[in-house]
């Protein structure tokens, strides 16, 4: 009996939760980069199962390896050891340059793990209160609760709120903020530079020792900023005090500064985790 697309759709509508909007096609088999629907029509597959079938469909070597393993031992559990998990992890380490692998079943699980790793990292460092997350505007992290919390589109998030607290969609958000918000708010955001003159002094004192390969002229921008930063922040402070006079306006000013600090913390977190710099200051903060 030939199964049609209409037969498949009718059965799914009765027995499968309708969580995905599917395209009106039902695939029956594949070969290499090609897919074939139930009517025998041929399609060039540029999606590859959203990156899953990277070796192509019905790859003979992969099919043989899966069939052989399925006839030997298909599944145990992470409660026990077996020979191939460590072998696969060692291969991934060699290819990626990273020490260890966390195995999971989907992208959303991988992102859930990253959220937990971030929380765990600060917990093991003894740093309290570092529980927020900075997510990328426009990003899609997945459909589970944690991953959904750092997914940008409200179309996905809204029906399941409240989600994880403390999520800020920053990174390129500061550029967007400076471009779209009133110029008065951009001036207030610059108050995070209040201590910049002292920071620049420290940088100029230490960089030649740590970065001897930088030409002396390369420090010109920071030497110039010693005066400019002080001037700029003094103007911003006077402007903010004059402009934000009501309770509502002052609370908005605090929101602006919190947003800017979230962006700066996200940058510092990334440098700390990747390069191991500034850790003593983070713990003191």
């Amino acid at each position: 009996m030939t199964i049609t697309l209409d037969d498949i759709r009718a059965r799914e509508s009765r027995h499968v939760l309708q969580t995905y909007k599917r395209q009106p096609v039902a695939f029956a088999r594949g070969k290499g980069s090609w897919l074939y629907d139930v009517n025998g029509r041929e399609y060039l597959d540029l999606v590859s199962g959203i990156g899953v079938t990277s070796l192509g469909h019905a790859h003979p070597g992969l099919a043989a390896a899966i069939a052989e393993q399925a006839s030997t031992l298909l599944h145990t559990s992470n409660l026990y050891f077996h020979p191939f998990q460590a072998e696969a992890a060692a291969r991934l380490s060699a290819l990626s340059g990273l020490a260890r692998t966390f195995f999971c079943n989907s992208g959303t699980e991988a992102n859930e793990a990253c959220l937990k790793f971030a929380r765990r990292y600060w917990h093991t460092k003894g740093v309290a209160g570092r529980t927020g997350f900075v997510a990328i505007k426009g990003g899609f992290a997945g459909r589970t609760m944690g991953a959904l919390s750092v997914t940008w589109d409200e179309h996905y998030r809204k029906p399941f709120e409240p989600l994880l607290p403390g999520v800020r969609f920053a990174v390129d958000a500061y550029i967007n903020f400076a471009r779209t918000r009133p110029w008065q708010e951009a001036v207030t955001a610059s108050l995070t530079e209040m201590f910049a003159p002292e920071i620049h002094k420290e940088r100029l004192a230490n960089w030649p020792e740590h970065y001897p390969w930088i030409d002396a002229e390369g420090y010109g921008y920071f030497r110039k900023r010693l005066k400019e930063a002080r001037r700029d922040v003094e103007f911003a402070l006077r402007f903010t005090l004059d402009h934000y006079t009501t309770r509502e306006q002052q609370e908005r000013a605090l929101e602006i500064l919190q947003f800017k600090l979230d962006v700066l913390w996200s940058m510092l977190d990334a440098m700390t985790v990747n390069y191991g710099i500034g850790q003593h200051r983070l713990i003191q903060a």
Side-chain angles (χ1 to χ4, degrees):
M1 182 179 73
T2 301
I3 299 178
T4 67
L5 172 61
D6 289 339
D7 295 332
I8 296 170
R9 294 173 75 171
R11 178 168 289 184
E12 278 211 5
S13 68
R14 292 194 301 270
H15 303 294
V16 178
L17 283 174
Q18 303 299 291
T19 56
Y20 284 90
K21 184 178 181 181
R22 300 179 189 270
Q23 301 299 313
V25 59
F27 293 117
R29 63 185 183 90
K31 183 71 174 178
S33 298
W34 297 91
L35 285 166
Y36 302 86
D37 69 11
V38 292
N39 297 314
R41 284 192 293 264
E42 185 179 61
Y43 301 78
L44 178 60
D45 183 9
L46 300 178
V47 180
S48 70
I50 314 184
V52 174
T53 52
S54 56
L55 296 179
H57 299 283
H59 187 282
L62 179 61
I66 292 174
E68 180 182 355
Q69 186 59 42
S71 65
T72 304
L73 180 64
L74 188 59
H75 175 71
T76 55
S77 159
N78 279 332
L79 295 173
Y80 314 106
F81 291 99
H82 64 82
F84 300 116
Q85 182 164 298
E87 182 179 335
R91 181 74 181 276
L92 290 171
S93 293
L95 292 171
S96 67
L98 301 175
R100 291 185 175 87
T101 298
F102 175 77
F103 288 106
C104 51
N105 297 302
S106 64
T108 192
E109 283 182 89
N111 285 320
E112 290 280 349
C114 288
L115 297 175
K116 293 179 72 175
F117 292 152
R119 287 272 182 92
R120 182 69 178 177
Y121 174 83
W122 291 113
H123 174 76
T124 56
K125 293 291 182 182
V127 180
R130 300 303 304 278
T131 58
F133 298 100
V134 178
I136 298 174
K137 178 183 175 184
F140 180 83
R143 297 175 187 270
T144 51
M145 294 298 282
L148 194 59
S149 301
V150 293
T151 291
W152 168 253
D153 196 333
E154 281 197 356
H155 167 76
Y156 297 109
R157 296 200 322 268
K158 197 68 176 177
F160 304 100
E161 291 179 345
L163 297 168
L164 287 181
V167 175
R168 296 275 194 268
F169 289 93
V171 187
D172 72 331
Y174 184 63
I175 298 173
N176 186 59
F177 167 84
R179 186 177 65 244
T180 61
R181 300 300 301 168
W183 66 268
Q184 295 90 339
E185 294 195 0
V187 171
T188 299
S190 72
L191 283 175
T192 55
E193 299 295 308
M194 186 170 292
F195 303 103
E198 296 302 319
I199 294 173
H200 291 328
K201 280 184 181 179
E202 185 179 342
R203 287 171 175 168
L204 287 169
N206 293 312
W207 279 354
E209 176 186 351
H210 297 291
Y211 306 102
W213 46 268
I214 297 180
D215 189 275
E217 294 181 359
Y219 300 115
Y221 168 81
F222 293 99
R223 291 193 183 96
K224 187 174 64 170
R225 286 298 293 165
L226 289 176
K227 293 182 178 179
E228 292 178 347
R230 190 176 303 280
R231 176 203 63 194
D232 293 346
V233 78
E234 287 175 355
F235 168 81
L237 182 58
R238 288 196 307 270
F239 174 84
T240 300
L241 293 174
D242 292 340
H243 183 75
Y244 294 86
T245 56
T246 69
R247 174 66 178 266
E248 182 179 359
Q249 290 172 333
Q250 290 167 357
E251 288 180 348
R252 175 57 186 159
L254 291 174
E255 290 175 359
I256 294 167
L257 288 172
Q258 182 62 63
F259 166 77
K260 177 73 174 295
L261 288 170
D262 286 339
V263 175
L264 296 174
W265 270 117
S266 71
M267 296 168 62
L268 188 56
D269 286 351
M271 290 186 287
T272 298
V273 172
N274 283 282
Y275 305 111
I277 61 176
Q279 292 187 17
H280 62 291
R281 294 187 178 180
L282 287 176
I283 293 173
Q284 290 173 1

